[in-house]
Amino acid sequence: MDLVPALQEPLRQPLKSVLGPATAKVMAEHLGLLTVGDLLHHYPRRYEERGQLTHLADLPMDEHVTVVAQVADARLHTFASPRAPRGKGQRLEVTITDGSGRLQLVFFGNGVHKPHKELLPGTRAMFAGKVSVFNRRLQLAHPAYELLKGDAEETVESWAGALIPLYPATAKLESWKIAKAVQTVLPSAQEAVDPLPGSLREGRGLVTLPEALLKIHRPHTKADIADARARLKWDEAFVLQVALARRRHADAQLPAVPRKPRPDGLLAAFDDRLPFTLTEGQQKVSREIFDELATEHPMHRLLQGEVGSGKTLVALRAMLAVVDAGGQAAMLAPTEVLAQQHHRSVTEMLGELAEGGMLGGTEHATKVVLLTGSMGAAARRQALLDLATGEAGIVIGTHALIEDKVQFHDLGLVVVDEQHRFGVEQRDALRGKGKQPPHLLVMTATPIPRTVAMTVFGDLETSVLDQLPAGRSPIASHVVPAADKPHFLARAWERVREEAAKGHQAYVVCPRIGDEEDDPKKAARKQSAEDEAEKRPPLAVLDVAEQLAKGPLDGLRVEVLHGRMQPDDKEAVMRRFAAGETDVLVATTVIEVGVNVPNATVMVIMDADRFGVSQLHQLRGRVGRGSAPGLCLLVTEMPEASAARQRLNAVAATLDGFELSRIDLEQRREGDVLGQAQSGARSSLRVLAVIEDEEIIAEARQEAAAVVAADPELEHLPGLRTALEALLDEEREQYLEKG
């Protein structure tokens, strides 16, 4: 008897394959579909209506597309070529139309015979291929196609109903082949185990899972699709929120050492030194953090703060509270530049309080050490010794902190800066260095919309800092259309000179470094394609710095900074810039997070359209950090009507990072956002849209919390347990731990 549940049955088996071995192989390798259940959960991207033709007018370049259209014209040409010198080469050009536009198909050589017979004017078919440009016209070269024969029995069977499902496909496996494979396994949908508790499903009027799978793959009406999507969205939201709720529940059971600051300790001494009062937001968030540090379970908190809202200060006060309570605090930064920067700013903020054990240090002082991969052996030995003995209360470093050699005396708090740049294993390794799990504070300057926070960081409590500290200056942002109005760019360089004349400094940011080795094969390929002629490579730091120093910024002190420089050289450049010895720093995005030079007032971002919305917002936050107002100029050659220009206009129009993060998310696919956060494996979200489905996610979170509180092991919900196991094999469950 076959004991494998129907949906877990592999698509490819040695003796009897559900599908043909070649199809199953491509599905596994290119689409990650291994079982019958995987294939049933590979949903159509959209549906074509029989009587309606696709819009050929808005086909995306370089993407693999499936279109339904009618042949308008087909011509066979002969030509001479190296392979067929006597004019025997054959090329079939077929023009298809859908009323909105026309598209050229081209077939060569022996590949012309079959389409020449089949693609006669008036024939309707589905075509799949990669959109390219030839002679400034869109075309598909050698597309695969499937004729739509109107009322023929076989066609009606395979495209049941009036709606033709179009699946996410690959060059190796067209949409209609996936549709046929789905047709083969669809009867197994009846055996799908329903993860939703019956009361929840009935209470919300949702269809059963087998019915939803049937309706999403073989809908007869648009209402079928709506029913199926509503149900499947709930599955995704609910199962993911249950995983997170279980993680929160498990974390709440872990023991931790409570850390309460002494009333007359290091924290009090630091607060007395502060030359300003904390904003209301900083005080409120600090209270939340101190309350959690004082409990016997580890804190898991996400601190979101607008660029420049003073997150580092809040984190430093939490670290001092832990040192006061006899523990150690570690701050993990994603890059060496940033680790050095944090170390510098923390020691400056602490002054003699950072000179523990040294002459001139005060009685409450502690030692603050830096640990990075490129340190010299002697300095590294000393830092490791200070950590192991407990001499150093605070350590700031890169992932070098995670190495096996690093031993802590008593690790009480881990602060992770810029969460999305760290892998889960790295965070786990650091957490494992405490005698008991340390408290965890994750900081991000990328504002995350509430629903994404609930989905991606659903097991972290969230604090938000949304006020700017007193004395911070507003930043004015403007788009500089270099192609339409070259004199605007000339004026931008004049503004940089004016700021330098007032004693201020400027950043110029470029997308590329400029010392990349050119691959001759790549170069040859690029020159041959017509569409590449109009695309120039992004501007590079080394080229731009040279042009500026000899041209519009002649006479100013210009330096470069990028990620491939030696750590000591980077540090030296940053020091000179921070000390005011450089007027203009031409850099890549290495300056995106944490770089703090209050005297820098203007930033010019070259090829701004090549950066994401959140990244532009991050970069802009590097200016206006002092008392003088900041200016950010977004230089682009994109035409006014383009989507890229609209994106830049949105960035220039608001300083609200949460508003921008919504815009950013609406313009990118969900998978990009969750992909960053979910182990890089296929995003588990297929029909749930994080922004649009805000209500479903919020409700699913409440339902999940109630279910887990009542039955943490899900003993009474076997279907839900099965769905969880499918979503999170062991590794993914670990992954969700902080990501």
Side-chain angles (χ1 to χ4, degrees), residues 41-58:
H41 287 293
H42 186 73
Y43 308 133
R45 178 177 287 159
R46 56 195 175 88
Y47 302 85
E48 277 302 340
E49 289 183 65
R50 266 272 142 72
Q52 207 188 37
L53 295 160
T54 330
H55 284 295
L56 290 181
D58 32 67

Side-chain angles (χ1 to χ4, degrees), residues 652-673:
T654 179
L655 288 172
D656 179 347
F658 286 93
E659 178 54 33
L660 288 174
S661 66
R662 280 188 84 93
I663 294 168
D664 195 19
L665 194 54
E666 280 160 9
Q667 291 185 341
R668 289 159 41 192
R669 293 194 317 282
E670 238 79 36
D672 300 346
V673 179

Side-chain angles (χ1 to χ4, degrees), residues 317-396:
R317 293 183 73 239
M319 287 157 80
L320 295 175
V322 168
V323 174
D324 267 350
Q328 290 170 296
M331 185 182 224
L332 208 52
T335 63
E336 292 214 350
V337 167
L338 197 49
Q340 288 159 345
Q341 178 92 28
H342 277 317
H343 183 253
R344 221 176 12 247
S345 58
V346 165
T347 43
E348 280 166 12
M349 282 156 88
L350 287 173
E352 66 263 26
L353 296 175
E355 295 170 2
M358 293 158 68
L359 282 171
T362 69
E363 58 166 326
H364 298 304
T366 186
K367 203 167 184 182
V368 179
V369 299
L370 175 69
L371 191 62
T372 62
S374 65
M375 282 168 73
R380 187 178 170 78
R381 257 200 314 275
Q382 185 59 52
L384 290 172
L385 187 65
D386 289 340
L387 286 181
T389 59
E391 184 84 11
I394 294 178
V395 57
I396 295 168

Side-chain angles (χ1 to χ4, degrees), residues 374-680:
S374 65
M375 282 168 73
R380 187 178 170 78
R381 257 200 314 275
Q382 185 59 52
L384 290 172
L385 187 65
D386 289 340
L387 286 181
T389 59
E391 184 84 11
I394 294 178
V395 57
I396 295 168
T398 54
H399 50 263
L401 275 178
I402 296 162
E403 290 173 11
D404 292 344
K405 295 191 205 66
V406 182
Q407 296 299 325
F408 288 87
H409 177 63
D410 180 12
L411 181 60
L413 170 67
V414 176
V415 178
V416 178
D417 190 17
E418 287 305 315
Q419 149 82 9
H420 58 278
R421 296 168 185 238
F422 273 105
V424 173
E425 304 78 24
Q426 294 171 311
R427 283 192 301 273
D428 282 352
L430 194 53
R431 279 176 61 179
K433 289 189 178 290
K435 295 184 177 111
Q436 286 193 329
H439 298 281
L440 179 74
L441 181 65
V442 171
M443 298 197 296
T444 175
T446 310
I448 304 165
R450 180 171 143 258
T451 39
V452 179
M454 282 195 293
T455 308
V456 178
F457 303 109
D459 54 339
L460 293 169
E461 298 302 326
T462 305
S463 298
V464 178
L465 278 176
D466 47 12
Q467 291 169 292
L468 286 188
R472 268 299 165 85
S473 309
I475 304 169
S477 306
H478 302 285
V479 177
V480 177
D484 316 351
K485 300 179 178 165
H487 59 287
F488 275 35
L489 184 57
R491 175 73 189 112
W493 302 128
E494 278 173 30
R495 283 291 289 118
V496 171
R497 294 193 81 97
E498 286 163 16
E499 288 298 311
K502 292 182 198 164
H504 294 309
Q505 292 159 279
Y507 297 101
V508 177
V509 181
C510 306
R512 212 162 51 94
I513 296 174
D515 61 355
E516 296 87 350
E517 288 293 312
D518 278 336
D519 177 348
K521 278 189 205 154
K522 241 188 210 171
R525 200 163 63 238
K526 275 193 171 165
Q527 284 152 10
S528 65
E530 273 89 341
D531 58 321
E532 284 293 346
E534 294 160 50
K535 285 188 198 168
R536 59 166 179 74
L539 290 170
V541 166
L542 301 177
D543 307 339
V544 169
E546 191 180 349
Q547 288 159 12
L548 291 176
K550 290 178 180 168
L553 303 185
D554 182 21
L556 296 183
R557 296 166 299 177
V558 177
E559 286 211 57
V560 300
L561 178 71
H562 58 74
R564 280 215 286 278
M565 288 164 64
Q566 289 302 314
D568 293 351
D569 297 343
K570 277 193 259 191
E571 174 72 357
V573 169
M574 275 313 303
R575 265 187 205 287
R576 287 196 291 275
F577 190 64
E581 293 163 22
T582 309
D583 299 309
V584 180
L585 187 61
V586 183
T588 55
T589 53
V590 289
I591 60 154
E592 180 185 352
V593 282
V595 173
N596 184 22
V597 180
N599 190 42
T601 53
V602 57
M603 174 177 284
V604 182
I605 303 180
M606 308 303 291
D607 279 343
D609 47 273
R610 313 266 179 141
F611 298 96
V613 170
S614 296
Q615 201 172 27
L616 291 169
H617 182 58
Q618 283 280 2
L619 286 165
R620 166 171 67 183
R622 302 299 114 213
V623 295
R625 298 177 79 86
S627 51
L631 172 66
C632 177
L633 302 173
L634 306 166
V635 179
T636 178
E637 293 186 357
M638 284 299 184
E640 191 148 4
S642 64
R645 265 289 273 286
Q646 287 160 9
R647 214 170 59 226
L648 296 180
N649 291 339
V651 174
T654 179
L655 288 172
D656 179 347
F658 286 93
E659 178 54 33
L660 288 174
S661 66
R662 280 188 84 93
I663 294 168
D664 195 19
L665 194 54
E666 280 160 9
Q667 291 185 341
R668 289 159 41 192
R669 293 194 317 282
E670 238 79 36
D672 300 346
V673 179
L674 298 171
Q676 281 186 334
Q678 294 191 345
S679 68

Side-chain angles (χ1 to χ4, degrees), residues 179-202:
K180 284 179 177 168
V182 170
Q183 187 70 23
T184 309
V185 299
L186 206 51
S188 305
Q190 292 307 329
E191 297 173 52
V193 185
D194 203 321
L196 291 191
S199 56
L200 189 159
R201 188 170 54 72
E202 286 151 22

Side-chain angles (χ1 to χ4, degrees), residues 7-127:
L7 269 63
Q8 288 170 24
E9 192 171 338
L11 295 170
R12 184 165 53 151
Q13 298 173 51
L15 297 174
K16 66 168 196 73
S17 278
V18 178
L19 306 174
T23 306
K25 184 169 187 259
V26 174
M27 283 194 172
E29 288 174 7
H30 293 272
L31 294 168
L33 306 175
L34 305 174
T35 66
V36 169
D38 289 344
L39 181 53
L40 286 174
H41 287 293
H42 186 73
Y43 308 133
R45 178 177 287 159
R46 56 195 175 88
Y47 302 85
E48 277 302 340
E49 289 183 65
R50 266 272 142 72
Q52 207 188 37
L53 295 160
T54 330
H55 284 295
L56 290 181
D58 32 67
L59 284 180
M61 270 300 297
D62 287 336
E63 277 195 28
H64 205 83
V65 297
T66 304
V67 296
V68 178
Q70 191 161 351
V71 177
D73 178 43
R75 295 176 186 201
L76 192 60
H77 302 273
T78 52
F79 60 91
S81 73
R83 282 191 183 165
R86 292 200 295 278
K88 296 274 177 69
Q90 290 193 308
R91 182 175 79 246
L92 175 65
E93 288 177 3
V94 178
T95 307
I96 57 173
T97 177
D98 67 351
S100 76
R102 296 167 87 79
L103 178 65
Q104 179 126 5
L105 315 178
V106 59
F107 301 87
F108 292 100
N110 294 335
V112 304
H113 305 307
K114 185 166 177 269
H116 189 216
K117 282 207 295 273
E118 293 183 337
L119 297 179
L120 305 171
T123 308
R124 295 192 60 234
M126 297 170 78
F127 301 92

Side-chain angles (χ1 to χ4, degrees), residues 272-291:
D272 291 344
R273 287 174 51 98
L274 281 178
F276 50 82
T277 52
L278 298 177
T279 64
E280 267 176 56
Q282 286 172 324
Q283 289 175 7
K284 176 176 151 288
V285 170
S286 289
R287 276 196 301 276
E288 290 172 349
I289 291 172
F290 290 150
D291 287 349

